[in-house]
Every structure is written in structure tokens, then in C-alpha cells.
Amino acid sequence: MRKRMLIVIVALVVVFGGVFGWKAFVGYQIDQFLANMEPPPVTVGTVELDTAEWQKELRVTGELRAVRGVAVSTELAGVVRRIEFESGDTVAAGDLLVALDTSADRAELEGLRADAELARVTYERKKRLRERDLGSAAAFDEARATYDQARAAVAAQEAVIAKKEIRAPFDGRLGIRQVDLGQYVGPGAEMVSLQALDPIYIDFNVPQKRVSDIVVGERVAVEVAGYEGRFEGEVQAVSPALDRGTRTFRVRARVANPDERLRPGMYGNVELTLGEPQSYLTVRQTAISYNPYGDGVWVVVEKEGEDGETRLVAERRTVKTGDTRGDQVQILDGLDAGARVVVVGHHKLRSGARVKIDNENLPENEADPENVDNY
């Protein structure tokens, strides 16, 4: 009985040992197969790194200013007797705008003229006497001085009357009238604004690193909200000193404004073309993996495997990037022209991974990007 029981136990041990041994062997073989099995290639989209010519441009915001603009005012106090313009009129230099009351001034002028006439007659008499050696030299000199003073007083009073006729100092367009008939105005009181609008200035600031690119005579294009198209102009002057508050240089451009659509105080976007076009290595921005420790791209290279076959694999390269324009970015260092750069699928890659190229659905890539640096 015991012998039979022992035989059964031995048989069970053999059977179960064989079963578990086989399972362990199969599991080991599977693990070895999976460990040595090469993963399938990753499908990626690539482009060849190529050169592109970029024309440097700078875009800034500026404020429009009149070439000449003043608040027309009076130098003397007085009462408004005539207004010779309407708000918004176009006037020429010398046109009468406002006349103040000069009745008292003209009455005083008549008295001064009478005094001047008397002084002239006295001077002429003394002169004739002096020529005949009948009068003293002192009396003659006094008569001449009195006559000169009388004439100066007349001229001064005429100047006072002239100043009470306020005229346009230059050609331009008037603003809104600020005075009414019969109103008393004091010295310096604004009556109307006058602006010369064609051409017109636009002032803007450029950063220190860009000022060396700004050349007097450089063409500019201005876009203003509310108007279609662009207004053409050219750089007229660059401030010689840096603004310490903003660390920028002030630049002024003159813009043609024949229709007078541009008005002082408006803001406009200014685009400047800087220097000659330059060639850069460029690639789609989707290829760049931005990182605080260094930007990088994945490139596809050919390598020979252990089986002797040539295959495509991915390698990460650290690059130095430059400006971005449209859908492109400059590659300043780290790659050479002709490199196959991954632009789709690089998030699935690891170093040395096999890849398969499929360029059916590449991202947008504007062929002529906006060559603009915004400031």
C-alpha cells in the first residue's frame, strides 16, 4: 500500500514538474524573443534643410504729426469784430482769419500821425535854417530826433493794429473755431488750429540694436486702421541721442498725404526695409523642439544594422535658432544644408529609432514668409 502511494506521488511530481518546467521554458523563450525583437519603424514626415533669402524688415507703431501745426492765437487782447473763416476751411499763408476791434488804436494812430507831421515840418524848417547858418546845431539835432521819435511811434501803433488782424502763418487746413463775434480774448487765446497735412510726419521708436540699420531716405510703408492700402514715405531723420527711459531712438519719416486722409494724432503701423536680402538655412517651425537647455531637431540618417542592411534611423541634434518668419525659423548652427529634418511625428521618436518617411500630409509652410521683426 505504501509502495503504491509512493509510486503515485513520484508520478505526480514528475508530471507536474514537467508541466511547470515546460511553461517556464516557453515563457523564457517568449521573453527572449520579445527582448530581441526590433520595434516597428515610426512613420514621420521630413523636409530637406534648404536656404532662403530673407529681406530684413522692421515693424513698429508710430504717431502721425503735422509737418507744420499751430494753435492760431492772438498776441494782444481785444474784442472779436470779424471772423473770416469757417471750421475746416483750407487757407493759404497770409489769409485773414480774425480781426479784433481797432477803433481806439486807429484814433490814437491819427494823433501820432499828426504829431509826426508837425515834427516833420519843424525838422524841415530847422534844416533850411541850418543850411543858411541861421540856426544852432543843437536845435537842428533836437528837431531831427523829435521827428524820428514821432515816426517810430507811428510805426509802433501801425504794428499794434496789424497784430490785431490774425492771419494764417502758412498754407493748411483749419480745425474747429474757438471764438465768436463780440468775444473778448486775452493774449495767447487759441482761436483755431492750423495743420499742414501734405506731406505728414510719422514718428516712431526703434530699439538700439536696430538703429544702425536705419538709413535716411529708406522707404517706409504705413498702414492706418480704417483705411485700405498703404501710404508710402521715407525716413527723414534719426535722433542722434538714445532715449534713456525707453532705450530707443526716435525716428521720423515723411509720408505723402495728397488726399489729407491721414491726420495728426493717428497711430499707424510702419514697415521698414532694412539692408540687402540675406541667405539663411530655414526649416518649418514644427520641426523645432524648444527647450531651456537647448533647442533641438530630429534628423533622419542612414545607418547599417547588425544584419548588414541599411536602414533609416532618427538622431536628435542641438541647434541654434534665429528669427522666425511666417511658418519658418532660421537655423544658425547645428545643421548643414540638405539634412533631412523631421517636421511630423518627432514626439514619437527616441534616439536610434527606425523611421519610415511619409510626406503626404506635411504642415503649412509659407514660401514667402513675412520678413518682419515686431517691436
Side-chain angles (χ1 to χ4, degrees):
M1 185 68 179
R2 290 181 179 177
K3 186 177 181 180
R4 184 181 299 174
M5 180 66 69
L6 183 59
I7 294 172
V8 171
I9 291 173
V10 171
L12 289 175
V13 170
V14 172
V15 170
F16 283 107
V19 171
F20 287 114
W22 174 254
K23 285 184 175 287
F25 175 74
V26 171
Y28 173 78
Q29 292 297 324
I30 291 174
D31 289 342
Q32 288 294 107
F33 175 77
L34 293 177
N36 296 321
M37 185 178 68
E38 192 171 21
V42 179
T43 301
V44 297
T46 65
V47 296
E48 284 194 6
L49 194 64
D50 200 1
T51 58
E53 279 200 347
W54 283 9
Q55 173 65 63
K56 275 190 179 182
E57 292 185 359
L58 179 68
R59 175 177 290 171
V60 294
T61 299
E63 182 180 0
L64 292 163
R65 302 175 61 89
V67 172
R68 285 177 291 182
V70 297
V72 179
S73 61
T74 173
E75 185 177 344
L76 303 174
V79 177
V80 176
R81 283 291 175 253
R82 281 190 297 154
I83 297 176
E84 299 293 335
F85 71 93
E86 295 293 336
S87 298
D89 279 354
T90 298
V91 296
D95 285 353
L96 179 63
L97 303 179
V98 176
L100 303 181
D101 180 46
T102 58
S103 55
D105 299 301
R106 291 186 183 279
E108 185 176 350
L109 177 61
E110 291 303 317
L112 293 173
R113 283 175 174 169
D115 292 343
E117 179 61 20
L118 177 60
R120 184 190 67 80
V121 172
T122 302
Y123 167 69
E124 292 292 340
R125 185 183 303 117
K126 297 290 185 181
K127 181 180 180 182
R128 288 193 296 270
L129 291 173
R130 183 61 183 161
E131 288 173 350
R132 288 183 291 173
D133 202 21
L134 297 176
S136 66
F140 172 71
D141 291 340
E142 182 179 354
R144 183 170 58 182
T146 301
Y147 178 42
D148 289 342
Q149 289 176 351
R151 286 192 302 168
V154 170
Q157 188 64 16
E158 289 175 343
V160 168
I161 294 173
K163 287 180 178 179
K164 290 191 174 182
E165 289 186 345
I166 294 88
R167 299 179 180 274
F170 50 82
D171 297 351
R173 183 177 293 276
L174 296 172
I176 305 300
R177 178 165 56 88
Q178 303 292 322
V179 294
D180 294 304
L181 284 173
Q183 179 179 344
Y184 174 82
V185 293
E190 180 180 349
M191 297 182 172
V192 66
S193 66
L194 176 62
Q195 309 287 333
L197 301 179
D198 182 31
I200 194 168
Y201 290 143
I202 185 164
D203 292 348
F204 52 91
N205 293 340
V206 298
Q208 179 179 336
K209 66 179 182 179
R210 296 295 187 191
V211 72
S212 61
D213 295 325
I214 307 298
V215 179
V216 173
E218 195 82 62
R219 302 298 300 171
V220 302
V222 180
E223 295 179 350
V224 178
Y227 295 125
E228 293 184 358
R230 300 169 129 196
F231 299 86
E232 301 296 327
E234 63 180 27
V235 174
Q236 186 180 50
V238 180
S239 172
L242 179 75
D243 186 317
R244 294 186 177 181
T246 62
R247 311 305 300 175
T248 60
F249 284 87
R250 193 73 166 173
V251 180
R252 170 168 288 179
R254 183 169 54 194
V255 180
N257 187 30
D259 299 329
E260 297 186 351
R261 292 187 294 165
L262 301 179
R263 301 297 177 90
M266 287 182 170
Y267 286 94
N269 293 322
V270 184
E271 287 189 7
L272 300 92
T273 300
L274 307 177
E276 297 297 326
Q278 297 183 6
S279 293
Y280 295 97
L281 289 174
T282 63
V283 71
R284 290 168 171 83
Q285 291 194 54
T286 55
I288 307 297
S289 299
Y290 293 99
N291 191 298
Y293 304 103
D295 301 332
V297 298
W298 288 94
V299 296
V300 175
V301 298
E302 293 183 353
K303 280 196 174 180
E304 186 175 326
E306 295 180 357
D307 55 3
E309 292 185 5
T310 300
R311 58 189 66 189
L312 299 177
V313 297
E315 289 184 356
R316 192 180 188 279
R317 303 279 177 83
T318 300
V319 296
K320 181 180 178 182
T321 59
D323 294 336
T324 57
R325 307 284 176 86
D327 300 316
Q328 297 182 337
V329 61
Q330 295 174 357
I331 301 297
L332 303 179
D333 191 24
L335 290 176
D336 296 322
R340 284 186 288 185
V341 180
V342 177
V343 294
V344 176
H346 50 70
H347 62 283
K348 301 179 290 184
L349 295 175
R350 58 178 177 81
S351 185
R354 287 194 306 145
V355 296
K356 181 176 70 173
I357 297 176
D358 181 2
N359 292 335
E360 291 273 334
N361 299 302
L362 293 180
E364 291 292 330
N365 179 47
E366 190 171 340
D368 185 16
E370 281 192 20
N371 301 327
V372 173
D373 288 341
N374 291 310
Y375 171 67

